[in-house]
Amino acid sequence: MIRDRLYHDLTNRGITGWIVAALLVWFYIALYFTENLTPVAQTFGLSSKWDLYGVLYTVAVVTGGIAVIRKYGHNRYQVVRTSVVMFVQIVFAFSIPMMLKALHQPEYYLSYFWPLKFDYMNPEYLFNQPWPFVVYTLAASLVIVPLLGALLGKRWYCSWVCGCGGLANTMGEPWRHLSDKSSAAWKFEKVSIYSVLGVSLLLTSLLFYSWFTKSKAPEVVQFQTWYGLIVGSILSGAVGTGLYPLGGTRVWCRFFCPMAALLGITQKAGKRFHIRVKEDMCISCGLCSKYCEMGIDVRAYAQRNESFTRASCVGCGICSEVCPRGVLRLENQSELVQIRSGR
Amino acid sequence: MHLVIVGNGVAGVTAAMAVRAADPRAEITIVSGESEFFFSRTALMYAFMDVMQRRDLEPYERKLFREQRLTLRQDWAVDLDAGARELRLAGGATLRYDKLLLATGSRGRRAPWERPLDGVVRFVSLQDLDACERLTPGTRRAVVAGGGLIGVELVECLVHHRVPVTFLVREPSYWPAALSPEEGELVAAHIRAQGVDLRLNSEIESMQGEGRVTGVTTKAGEQIPCELVGVTIGVEPNVEWLRAVKTPPALNRGIVTDAAFRTSLPGVFAAGDVAEVEGRIEPLWYAAKRQGQAVAQSILGQSMQYAPPAYYNSAKFFHLEWTCAGETQGPGRFRKLPGREASVRVIERDGIAVGFSMLGTRWNHRVLTRWIEERRRVDEVMGRLSEAQYDVEFGRVAL
Ligand SMILES: Cc1cc2nc3c(=O)[nH]c(=O)nc-3n(C[C@H](O)[C@H](O)[C@H](O)COP(=O)(O)OP(=O)(O)OC[C@H]3O[C@@H](n4cnc5c(N)ncnc54)[C@H](O)[C@@H]3O)c2cc1C
Ligand code: SF4
Ligand code: SF4
């Protein structure tokens, strides 16, 4: 009974939830704005606080991932997806950069792309890298990411590859239901996420302009610093991950991530990925909405027999997993007509 | 027009919204005793298991009722005067109506051996949920009597809270109303594997205790000490309150209506679990919702004849999902799927498929009901079953 109550408290914004949130935010502030973690890293034989962060992050994704696979072991989609997320984290987001560093090469994170990894599309940086990386980055950011987004939905990145999503869907699992389902939150989301996208596109254009004209105005430099501080450190780190126990696991992904915004647009435009609703079978229990980490009111669609594609849906598949009547099914299919006819 | 609706369940609220959509000027009042806002009765178990909070059970945002101008009153209707077109509430108010919809749902059936002791619960209303939550911490063993769909949900909740449960089922196999003996065996084994002391062929004879229940005695004479007894022996239309009113509508098992949901009283309609529509009661969420849509037409004065579509249902026994379509009883072909807790059964008559009962995997009931309507042959359907599968991606089960 005590164990249940503690778990409830931790996962429903009780005192322990607030304490964990405070500790996480404190950790991110220490990480981004101080050098307090450097000696800690060194005692573990790591060269910098960022290496320490990489180790912790990977451990969190792997242990959380194992727990998730045990929990949803009967669901092949969840097992495959979670295994891929863990693999990408271990190999592309941890081992390869660490090896490159050990070989005194620049650390490339090959599973992160612009506009999430903002610097990769900064011409000053990009065009000083070896050509295979330049080609990889340009092809991935400008062609592969949107193309796969249109064909498979944004899920191919947001819940199969991305480290932010990876952490949310592994270690963050116990808090996924805390996302705000209100229509007011949806309104806010539409304004906030496209604003960040607009700002990041503007900044990228300014950087290219400065690079072409070979003159960088001090305002652009300042703009760049502020963007890094607010979007990179505060929103994606402290708010995005620190507030898991208060706002759910995808605060960053849902409200701020420019990559998610772009992918959401391609997901809608591609008209292939959708969540199919089995006709007249929904009992309006609300488990799907409750456990949707993106705060989508899935029940609202299910109870009116409406198959749907929402720009924010990351295709995690948990709504389908928790539905006790098997109403929901994630699909890639171009002909929505087929769905309507019940085939 | 002032439409008064008694009962804010899915039938009442669906009807209210449908009337509002067609008539922006109507005055609509919904009276319900159990809760101020519409909630999903089907999700009671998830609230009990603490995977959802009370507020999460509400299918619509509260502001919707304001936007749609649906006046909500939390009160019990206690008297009905069809001559004066008046409904009296327990709080003392009297509502005048032009049209009245009775959508008072079901209540848990009482058992003959029941005594009014603390610790005896049903699992139908929010108040039942309150009682279950209050009683669970002091319960060392619970007995649940009645192996229907609500019974197994209550058992699952108690197991979730680590309460040892003895589950008494009167029938010789599990839920023979819908499951074949082989399926019953599969489900029974699954329930037992969750640590439940499931006993078939077993019924309560009497109950012991002063104030709080302390135990039950079965018909076989066995005494089982327990602090909680769940009575889940089925539901019945909630019509008791209507027997005492000034002008009761014609009642049989439920409120008797014609195919347009009209009761014997002028301007008074009934829909949902409480309605006996041309002799038929459909105590299901989907049916109540469908009837709510349909009764709205009738209330609005459009002519309509309610014709229920082919039967289907789905449920979950702990982790075992189940889908059925058409008939569930009679001779058929049963196949246990290799290597997993799953089976398919096609019920046949004269070589034609007339029903499906599918355990352990996901199915699209629409494909199954279409095959039934098209009177497909069993041989053909058995070969095409995979077309109706609805498993998650990567998870297609081999048949
Ligand atoms: C635990 C449980 C699980 C279920 N699961 C499923 C499922 O999985 N699938 C399925 O198809 N069906 C399921 N059902 C059945 C389903 O919930 C009902 O068929 C459905 O709720 C009926 O809706 P309704 O609107 O007719 O009545 P109800 O939802 O019962 O609503 C009736 C309302 O009327 C109010 N009322 C009654 N008398 C008065 C009065 N005198 N004055 C004022 N108000 C009054 C009550 O307070 C109640 O709120 C389940 C039922 C239960 C109890
Ligand atoms: S709608 Fe379903 S698949 Fe999409 S994000 Fe929400 S839970 Fe995941
Ligand atoms: S979980 Fe399934 S049954 Fe429950 S509201 Fe969502 S779609 Fe409907």
Side-chain angles (χ1 to χ4, degrees):
Chain A
M1 249 14 225
I2 290 185
R3 209 171 86 200
D4 292 350
R5 248 183 253 171
L6 202 64
Y7 187 78
H8 176 97
D9 194 72
L10 180 62
T11 56
N12 286 284
R13 303 191 186 104
I15 295 170
T16 46
W18 281 85
I19 293 173
V20 173
L23 288 174
L24 284 170
V25 172
W26 172 81
F27 170 81
Y28 275 96
I29 291 172
L31 177 71
Y32 284 112
F33 304 109
T34 75
E35 287 307 319
N36 293 343
L37 292 172
T38 312
V40 183
Q42 280 156 357
T43 51
F44 288 104
L46 298 164
S47 63
S48 79
K49 61 181 182 180
W50 299 112
D51 290 356
L52 176 68
Y53 184 47
V55 171
L56 290 175
Y57 206 98
T58 307
V59 168
V61 168
V62 172
T63 45
I66 291 169
V68 163
I69 288 180
R70 287 173 59 140
K71 181 172 176 187
Y72 300 126
H74 50 269
N75 182 324
R76 277 284 301 270
Y77 181 74
Q78 296 308 330
V79 173
V80 176
R81 184 176 72 84
T82 309
S83 307
V84 172
V85 159
M86 287 171 15
F87 175 81
V88 171
Q89 176 62 35
I90 294 170
V91 176
F92 292 97
F94 183 69
S95 305
I96 293 181
M98 290 296 251
M99 270 171 350
L100 287 170
K101 193 171 170 186
L103 299 171
H104 302 290
Q105 299 293 321
E107 304 163 50
Y108 295 126
Y109 290 83
L110 299 177
S111 54
Y112 288 94
F113 312 105
W114 174 87
L116 175 58
K117 191 82 177 156
F118 189 78
D119 300 333
Y120 284 2
M121 202 57 94
N122 176 357
E124 281 174 48
Y125 169 87
L126 180 63
F127 297 121
N128 281 321
Q129 305 304 315
W131 68 265
F133 181 76
V134 178
V135 173
Y136 178 78
T137 294
L138 289 175
S141 302
L142 302 179
V143 183
I144 299 173
V145 167
L147 187 69
L148 288 182
L151 292 178
L152 304 171
K154 79 199 269 189
R155 58 178 171 161
W156 86 265
Y157 191 71
C158 296
S159 67
W160 284 72
V161 172
C162 178
C164 309
L167 189 70
N169 284 171
T170 52
M171 193 197 77
E173 173 68 21
W175 293 291
R176 62 157 43 243
H177 58 278
L178 296 177
S179 57
D180 188 338
K181 316 302 186 302
S182 68
S183 48
W186 185 13
K187 271 192 198 133
F188 177 78
E189 166 196 320
K190 283 189 270 194
V191 174
S192 66
I193 195 164
Y194 295 115
S195 305
V196 177
L197 175 64
V199 169
S200 78
L201 291 178
L202 178 68
L203 179 53
T204 301
S205 325
L206 287 174
L207 290 174
F208 267 90
Y209 177 80
S210 310
W211 184 71
F212 275 120
T213 56
K214 298 200 169 51
S215 68
K216 198 167 177 185
E219 288 83 0
V220 175
V221 179
Q222 231 177 27
F223 188 178
Q224 206 178 344
T225 315
W226 278 101
Y227 183 88
L229 175 74
I230 295 178
V231 178
S233 309
I234 298 179
L235 293 179
S236 81
V239 172
T241 308
L243 297 189
Y244 273 13
L246 300 179
T249 45
R250 292 270 193 173
V251 171
W252 158 254
C253 313
R254 179 184 181 192
F255 295 110
F256 307 114
C257 177
M259 179 97 180
L262 267 186
L263 278 160
I265 293 169
T266 60
Q267 163 157 293
K268 287 288 269 189
K271 291 205 168 95
R272 283 177 53 88
F273 169 75
H274 57 260
I275 295 185
R276 174 164 159 190
V277 170
K278 199 156 81 179
E279 215 178 292
D280 290 331
M281 192 52 108
C282 171
I283 52 172
S284 298
C285 70
L287 277 175
C288 51
S289 297
K290 175 85 180 177
Y291 287 89
C292 174
E293 55 188 344
M294 298 307 279
I296 297 171
D297 190 359
V298 182
R299 162 168 61 186
Y301 297 92
Q303 67 193 0
R304 45 170 206 260
N305 292 328
E306 198 178 311
S307 297
F308 67 100
T309 308
R310 271 277 289 271
S312 64
C313 170
V314 289
C316 65
I318 295 296
C319 53
S320 159
E321 156 62 28
V322 297
C323 173
R325 298 294 173 266
V327 171
L328 307 162
R329 213 181 105 94
L330 275 61
E331 289 179 355
N332 292 314
Q333 196 178 359
S334 50
E335 287 169 48
L336 275 154
V337 203
Q338 274 193 343
I339 309 163
R340 294 273 142 72
S341 69
R343 277 299 301 247
Chain B
M1 175 182 76
H2 185 199
L3 167 64
V4 174
I5 299 175
V6 189
N8 69 356
V10 64
V13 168
T14 306
M17 291 190 176
V19 170
R20 170 58 74 230
D23 181 354
R25 293 220 314 267
E27 191 188 337
I28 303 177
T29 306
I30 308 179
V31 182
S32 199
E34 184 180 1
S35 63
E36 185 183 2
F37 287 93
F38 170 42
F39 74 97
S40 285
R41 201 170 298 290
T42 47
L44 273 187
M45 69 176 292
Y46 307 115
F48 191 7
M49 294 206 295
D50 196 35
V51 294
M52 294 183 99
Q53 309 305 304
R54 297 290 162 106
R55 193 73 184 256
D56 301 323
L57 304 188
E58 295 174 12
Y60 299 109
E61 278 189 277
R62 291 186 170 183
K63 66 175 187 185
L64 192 82
F65 293 93
R66 221 172 31 243
E67 286 165 9
Q68 301 242 334
R69 287 172 292 114
L70 304 174
T71 309
L72 304 178
R73 287 187 80 133
Q74 189 176 355
D75 207 338
W76 296 100
V78 289
D79 199 6
L80 165 61
D81 183 343
R85 298 213 171 204
E86 279 178 356
L87 185 76
R88 199 160 57 77
L89 309 183
T94 299
L95 297 177
R96 272 198 52 86
Y97 64 81
D98 300 302
K99 301 274 171 72
L100 177 68
L101 171 61
L102 303 172
T104 53
S106 296
R107 58 171 210 164
R109 200 175 277 151
R110 271 53 177 172
W113 38 260
E114 233 181 285
R115 286 172 44 206
L117 298 173
D118 195 29
V120 179
V121 296
R122 257 162 276 279
F123 198 54
V124 176
S125 69
L126 282 178
Q127 287 73 30
D128 295 337
L129 175 61
D130 291 337
C132 288
E133 286 178 342
R134 175 176 60 83
L135 292 162
T136 302
T139 299
R140 276 163 298 163
R141 172 165 294 275
V143 170
V144 175
L149 295 176
I150 297 179
V152 71
E153 288 188 359
L154 179 58
V155 171
E156 181 172 351
C157 295
L158 291 163
V159 168
H160 178 88
H161 289 296
R162 294 185 264 277
V163 174
V165 185
T166 299
F167 190 12
L168 303 180
V169 174
R170 189 176 56 185
E171 293 78 16
S173 84
Y174 192 82
W175 208 38
L179 302 180
S180 71
E182 299 101 318
E183 288 168 338
E185 220 167 275
L186 233 147
V187 173
H190 182 78
I191 293 174
R192 290 195 175 111
Q194 318 299 318
V196 177
D197 171 24
L198 167 65
R199 304 192 195 174
L200 300 170
N201 277 318
S202 196
E203 246 183 293
I204 294 181
E205 165 88 30
S206 64
M207 214 175 234
Q208 290 87 48
E210 302 287 331
R212 174 121 187 210
V213 67
T214 55
V216 297
T217 307
T218 65
K219 289 226 160 116
E222 193 187 351
Q223 271 222 317
I224 308 171
C226 60
E227 292 74 34
L228 189 144
V229 178
V231 184
T232 54
I233 54 171
V235 296
E236 58 194 14
N238 189 4
V239 293
E240 270 320 297
W241 70 283
L242 284 167
R243 298 198 193 276
V245 302
K246 188 160 177 215
T247 52
L251 302 173
N252 185 28
R253 284 179 300 148
I255 302 173
V256 175
T257 81
D258 62 8
F261 303 101
R262 287 178 296 227
T263 70
S264 60
L265 301 174
V268 181
F269 302 78
D273 276 18
V274 78
E276 187 174 329
V277 186
E278 300 209 295
R280 187 176 154 139
I281 298 173
E282 297 182 287
L284 286 174
W285 182 267
Y286 330 107
K289 190 168 165 183
R290 200 161 57 219
Q291 292 192 8
Q293 280 288 347
V295 75
Q297 295 174 27
S298 200
I299 290 170
L300 290 162
Q302 299 156 9
S303 83
M304 62 91 44
Q305 293 281 311
Y306 176 71
Y311 179 80
Y312 64 86
N313 197 4
S314 75
K316 210 170 168 183
F317 308 94
F318 282 83
H319 312 297
L320 270 189
E321 294 183 29
W322 174 71
T323 307
C324 78
E327 298 177 26
T328 54
Q329 307 236 341
R333 298 192 202 172
F334 172 83
R335 188 156 83 214
K336 167 113 180 35
L337 302 188
R340 46 165 69 230
E341 283 181 289
S343 65
V344 297
R345 180 163 60 96
V346 184
I347 297 89
E348 63 178 309
R349 195 175 312 118
D350 307 326
I352 304 285
V354 293
F356 297 86
S357 173
M358 315 304 226
L359 259 182
T361 63
R362 287 188 172 176
W363 296 85
N364 187 348
H365 62 296
R366 278 291 172 237
V367 179
L368 302 176
T369 49
R370 203 184 55 227
W371 284 339
I372 296 171
E373 279 154 18
E374 292 170 358
R375 298 182 53 75
R376 298 272 168 186
R377 301 198 63 79
V378 180
D379 296 317
E380 179 199 345
V381 159
M382 288 301 279
R384 288 177 59 183
L385 276 185
S386 66
E387 291 172 30
Q389 282 183 288
Y390 204 70
D391 299 300
V392 299
E393 291 162 297
F394 307 107
R396 175 58 68 90
V397 173
L399 293 176

